[in-house]
Amino acid sequence: MTDAADDKPLILLTNPIHPEAVARLEIHARVVTAPDTGAETLRRLARDAAGMIVRAQLPDDILDHAPRLRGIVRHGVGLDFVPLPAATARGVPVANLPGSNTRAVAEYAFAALFDLRRRLAHLDRTLRAQGWLAAKTLANDLPEIGGTTLGVLGLGEIGRAVAGIGRHGFGMRVLGTARTPAVSTVSPSRCRSSTSSRRAMRW
């Protein structure tokens, strides 16, 4: 008599994911997390996999080692980790998670902006090494970002999120540009469009 768990399809994770997501998957499948993302490890574990959740580069020939594979999900946005031509040739569907990291990337952009504009890391080191007065003296010449101008190159989901945080979170004047004319869903009352092939916007 076979174990009921053995009848469930096997899902291979190239990297750990959130425990709650694993718990949901385990209702329907056996879940195996690769101990490392080496090509040989992934090829070996893919042999019995019905599905893969990908957070690392897959070997170009991974499909040759996964005869039972029925689908690949990219745990993220970009599909560069997945050998798309091979998956297409074998009729294996590939999905991704558009927008899943939009807020995280937009927030990181402002973390980097604060570090560059307000020199936070340098101030922190100075405060710890030389005390309050030395750090305060450095901070005196560092301007606030509110009311300054933020330029956004590319108005996809991340670009629009950055623009929104800058405008509504910090009161910045935001200028944006995109290569394609229909990239933005921003209301016309809140932006200005150029007549060239690129689209320029002002929030």
Side-chain angles (χ1 to χ4, degrees):
M1 187 173 181
T2 60
D3 190 322
D6 293 335
D7 295 331
K8 292 182 178 180
L10 182 116
I11 303 297
L12 173 62
L13 311 179
T14 62
N15 304 76
I17 62 175
H18 197 284
E20 290 183 7
V22 173
R24 291 184 182 183
L25 286 171
E26 287 178 336
I27 297 172
H28 308 285
R30 291 176 290 142
V31 180
V32 172
T33 302
D36 61 76
T37 57
E40 287 304 320
T41 299
L42 296 178
R43 291 185 186 108
R44 173 173 54 82
L45 295 176
R47 182 178 60 243
D48 297 319
M52 297 182 68
I53 297 179
V54 177
R55 299 185 70 185
Q57 184 69 54
L58 295 178
D60 289 340
D61 63 350
I62 190 69
L63 275 295
D64 295 335
H65 300 267
R68 301 182 182 181
L69 195 62
R70 298 196 303 236
I72 300 172
V73 175
R74 168 69 172 98
H75 193 284
V77 178
L79 294 173
D80 48 312
F81 286 169
V82 180
L84 291 176
T88 300
R90 289 167 173 76
V92 175
V94 177
N96 64 344
L97 305 174
S100 60
N101 63 349
T102 296
R103 191 71 186 184
V105 175
E107 290 180 1
Y108 172 77
F110 277 91
L113 175 62
F114 271 103
D115 191 44
L116 291 169
R117 190 68 181 267
R118 303 301 300 271
R119 302 179 66 190
L120 296 182
H122 181 58
L123 286 174
D124 180 70
R125 289 193 298 270
T126 302
L127 176 65
R128 294 173 187 274
Q130 301 177 39
W132 167 255
L133 183 59
K136 181 178 182 298
T137 301
L138 287 175
N140 287 338
D141 296 326
L142 299 177
E144 297 179 352
I145 68 168
T148 60
T149 299
L150 173 67
V152 182
L153 303 180
L155 295 171
E157 289 192 32
I158 293 172
R160 292 198 299 272
V162 168
I165 293 171
R167 176 68 179 87
H168 301 293
F170 296 102
M172 304 179 79
R173 175 175 177 260
V174 180
L175 302 176
T177 186
R179 290 179 297 177
T180 53
V183 71
S184 180
T185 59
V186 178
S187 168
S189 64
R190 296 176 54 205
C191 66
R192 177 173 296 176
S193 176
S194 71
T195 56
S196 67
S197 60
R198 290 173 177 259
R199 187 167 188 173
M201 299 181 181
R202 185 172 66 189
W203 277 259

